[in-house]
Amino acid sequence: QVQLVESGGGLQQAGKSLRLSCVASGTIVSIGTMRWYRQAPGKQRELVADITSGGRTNYADSVKGRCTISRDNAKNTVYLQMNSLKPEDTAVYYCNAQQYLTNYWGQGTQVTVSS
């Protein structure tokens, strides 16, 4: 089993920045792609960004140019640097990690952006 714990969320003003972190622990053999998703009230969960074990990244159009995903494989940690925050970035942000054929989820961290 792999446990994921997110941190770094909170209340921030529009235009400011936040950095989310997600640490994986437990029975870690080889974590593959790590992803950040978000879910706003009344909306479906959507992919924000992902990063492969080799560092290849992918971003949703809504955050492209404002967010950077990175990972530290030695620390089993993935980060999401969010700049130029917008009120529409308000959501619960979830970390997802894949190990072999199993996907694991964190409990989520709330990000609220005030205008």
Side-chain angles (χ1 to χ4, degrees):
Q1 285 282 9
V2 174
Q3 293 81 43
L4 302 173
V5 178
E6 302 100 333
S7 61
L11 174 64
Q12 187 57 281
Q13 292 180 328
K16 302 290 188 179
S17 299
L18 278 175
R19 188 193 195 205
L20 307 183
S21 300
C22 171
V23 180
S25 62
T27 307
I28 296 172
V29 178
S30 178
I31 292 180
T33 299
M34 301 186 80
R35 301 176 176 90
W36 285 99
Y37 284 81
R38 67 185 181 187
Q39 187 166 19
K43 294 188 176 182
Q44 288 190 330
R45 192 171 296 189
E46 62 175 357
L47 178 66
V48 178
D50 59 40
I51 183 168
T52 66
S53 57
R56 189 171 67 248
T57 59
N58 175 59
Y59 297 93
D61 288 342
S62 58
V63 304
K64 202 170 290 185
R66 299 189 297 118
C67 293
T68 302
I69 188 171
S70 60
R71 65 190 285 172
D72 184 333
N73 291 329
K75 296 182 178 180
N76 296 313
T77 301
V78 62
Y79 306 96
L80 185 68
Q81 177 69 41
M82 305 173 64
N83 301 324
S84 302
L85 286 165
K86 302 177 180 180
E88 50 264 43
D89 292 323
T90 296
V92 178
Y93 284 71
Y94 296 92
C95 176
N96 170 279
Q98 184 174 3
Q99 180 161 266
Y100 299 126
L101 298 180
T102 304
N103 269 298
Y104 298 93
W105 293 90
Q107 82 289 348
T109 185
Q110 176 71 48
V111 171
T112 303
V113 182
S114 63
S115 56

